[in-house]
Amino acid sequence: MAPDTARLSEQPDPASTVLLTVECQRGVVGQDSALPELADAVRTSGALANIARLVAAAHDAGIQVLHAVAERRPDGRGASHNARLFKAAERLPVQQIVGSTAVRIAEPIPVSEADLVVRRLHGLSPIAGTDVDALLRNLGCRTLVVTGVSANVAIPNAVFDAVNLGYSAVVPADAIAGVPADYTPAMVRNTLALVATVTTTQDVLAGWRRPRRGR
């Protein structure tokens, strides 16, 4: 069952909106993913294509795009070890090594020179303990559109952190993915919808294309 969605009744100002992609890197959502089940989910659900559409539209509308990438040093220095997830990641056949192709933004997501990329060596959140909050404040961000993977861990972390820091979070439910596939709509409906505006890629795109008063 698809999650309940809400149209954006008040379209955010592009000047104060940032589009965040979470772990949309080749080693996670690409063809040679360390997590093939997740990579399959993000592709077959259409989420990856929708993320690419949102990024392209953000470029056209002059909306800042920020890519949050998870990576690790070859020696593992600074990496977290305090959860089963981290220990399992250390044994994966594809490692998200600094500077490797695994940590490049995955196709078909376009990347422009104006995009910002924030890389983290530790933790579960793309926001907490990274440069993201400071960058968002310097950019004058008030609304953060959150996309990417996974709906199991990093996406909820990003939404909660954004809300706790005072940003309004917007989640296009068809531009995130997790495993198993039926977990994502349940998590969106029962958790993210309580703290974020849950919408669709099409509604976000329509809002960005809509002429604004005074312009």
Side-chain angles (χ1 to χ4, degrees):
M1 180 181 295
D4 294 332
T5 56
R7 291 185 178 276
L8 294 171
S9 57
E10 295 184 6
Q11 292 295 337
D13 182 354
S16 61
T17 298
V18 172
L19 173 63
L20 176 69
T21 76
V22 178
E23 295 181 27
C24 291
Q25 56 207 71
R26 294 183 182 180
V28 176
V29 301
Q31 297 289 353
D32 298 320
S33 171
L35 302 163
E37 185 180 4
L38 178 59
D40 181 66
V42 75
R43 289 177 178 276
T44 58
S45 68
L48 187 60
N50 285 332
I51 295 165
R53 292 171 64 204
L54 286 163
V55 171
H59 291 161
D60 290 342
I63 292 170
Q64 181 66 54
V65 177
L66 194 158
H67 305 283
V69 173
E71 59 184 28
R72 60 184 285 117
R73 287 167 49 110
D75 60 8
R77 192 177 299 273
S80 300
H81 302 283
N82 57 335
R84 290 174 57 195
L85 179 63
F86 302 131
K87 297 181 184 301
E90 293 173 1
R91 300 191 295 269
L92 292 173
V94 177
Q95 293 291 307
Q96 315 300 316
I97 300 299
V98 174
S100 70
T101 58
V103 297
R104 295 179 185 174
I105 302 304
E107 296 82 1
I109 298 172
V111 179
S112 82
E113 292 184 358
D115 292 359
L116 297 174
V117 180
V118 174
R119 304 178 183 277
R120 78 179 194 275
L121 293 172
H122 66 88
L124 299 170
S125 173
I127 297 180
T130 74
D131 293 335
V132 170
D133 180 38
L135 292 174
L136 294 179
R137 294 189 187 283
N138 287 346
L139 291 165
C141 177
R142 295 179 62 85
T143 301
L144 186 65
V145 181
V146 180
T147 67
V149 297
S150 73
N152 304 76
V153 179
I155 295 299
N157 266 269
V159 172
F160 292 149
D161 287 344
V163 172
N164 284 332
L165 289 167
Y167 303 102
S168 295
V170 173
V171 180
D174 54 357
I176 66 171
V179 291
D182 59 357
Y183 172 75
T184 301
M187 187 278 298
V188 170
R189 184 168 53 248
N190 296 297
T191 302
L192 296 189
L194 302 177
V195 295
T197 297
V198 177
T199 184
T200 66
T201 294
Q202 192 56 44
D203 280 344
V204 173
L205 294 177
W208 288 350
R209 297 189 194 106
R210 186 175 304 160
R212 296 172 190 278
R213 295 177 181 175
R215 294 195 175 191

